[in-house]
Amino acid sequence: MNKISILVLDDEKYVLSSLKRLFRHPPYDVHAASTPHEAIQILEKQSIGVIIADYKMDTMDGANFFSII
């Protein structure tokens, strides 16, 4: 079975942990980041198929994050 790599980006740790729990079972391989910078570091090292990002974050909004990546 092929794994689906998901990157979850949210600055609220409760939302982040909820999304990680939601996708914890196969075929998902979940990577979590609490800052856009951390998410970019993950993207540099991992092949990611799906990205779920919060729109409103302290350092950068989700639209800017997607424009950078």
Side-chain angles (χ1 to χ4, degrees):
M1 175 181 288
N2 291 335
K3 285 194 170 193
I4 300 169
S5 292
I6 299 174
L7 172 61
V8 179
L9 168 60
D10 199 301
D11 59 347
E12 295 181 41
K13 62 181 169 181
Y14 298 110
V15 173
L16 196 60
S17 73
S18 294
L19 289 169
K20 284 170 48 178
R21 272 195 316 275
L22 179 66
F23 296 108
R24 72 178 175 260
H25 298 294
Y28 304 110
D29 183 22
V30 180
H31 303 271
S34 58
T35 66
H37 178 71
E38 186 180 344
I40 291 168
Q41 288 180 328
I42 292 170
L43 288 168
E44 290 173 346
K45 297 175 185 171
Q46 301 290 326
S47 177
I48 302 293
V50 176
I51 300 173
I52 301 170
D54 186 9
Y55 180 76
K56 189 175 181 182
M57 295 178 279
D58 290 337
T59 59
M60 176 188 309
D61 67 38
N64 285 340
F65 170 74
F66 280 114
S67 72
I68 290 170
I69 61 166

